[in-house]
Amino acid sequence: QVQLVESGGGLVQAGDSLRLSCAASGLTFSNYAMGWFRQPPGKEREFVAGISWRGITSLYADSVKGRFTISRDNAKNTVYLQMNRLKPEDTAVYYCAADRNMMRGTTKPEYWGQGTQVTVSS
């Protein structure tokens, strides 16, 4: 019943910006911490960013800190990832995730979205 549906991925040039969205259904959205992970080609899935129930606390991987911003709109059951100053190494499939606790690098989230492709050319 739980569904996390990502959108907003695409092909951009280095230095460009992109905003990903994740629409959640089938769960009490405000009771879940939300987050984003990514999987570059040929590599393991890695943590990108996490946000608490009400959006008061956010966590970021060192590789994206200062460039990416996670936010959420509980009235719309949606979490966002604003990505600025994109680099070729940001190229990956980006996955939305939900968990009852704040997410970090070691988290194995309870729910996953299907992923959306982000490709950054140089």
Side-chain angles (χ1 to χ4, degrees), residues 40-119:
K43 296 184 179 296
E44 298 293 321
R45 195 170 298 186
E46 64 185 22
F47 170 76
V48 175
I51 190 166
S52 62
W53 293 352
R54 293 180 293 174
I56 296 173
T57 303
S58 299
L59 296 172
Y60 298 93
D62 288 342
S63 59
V64 307
K65 198 169 187 177
R67 298 188 297 120
F68 291 10
T69 302
I70 188 171
S71 62
R72 66 190 296 164
D73 186 340
N74 285 1
K76 296 181 179 180
N77 287 3
T78 302
V79 63
Y80 306 93
L81 185 67
Q82 178 67 46
M83 305 183 293
N84 297 328
R85 304 190 303 280
L86 283 161
K87 304 175 180 180
E89 50 263 47
D90 294 319
T91 295
V93 177
Y94 283 71
Y95 297 90
C96 179
D99 197 88
R100 284 188 280 267
N101 297 309
M102 275 291 294
M103 273 162 277
R104 51 187 58 83
T106 58
T107 297
K108 300 297 185 291
E110 186 173 357
Y111 301 109
W112 291 101
Q114 80 290 342
T116 185
Q117 177 71 47
V118 172
T119 302

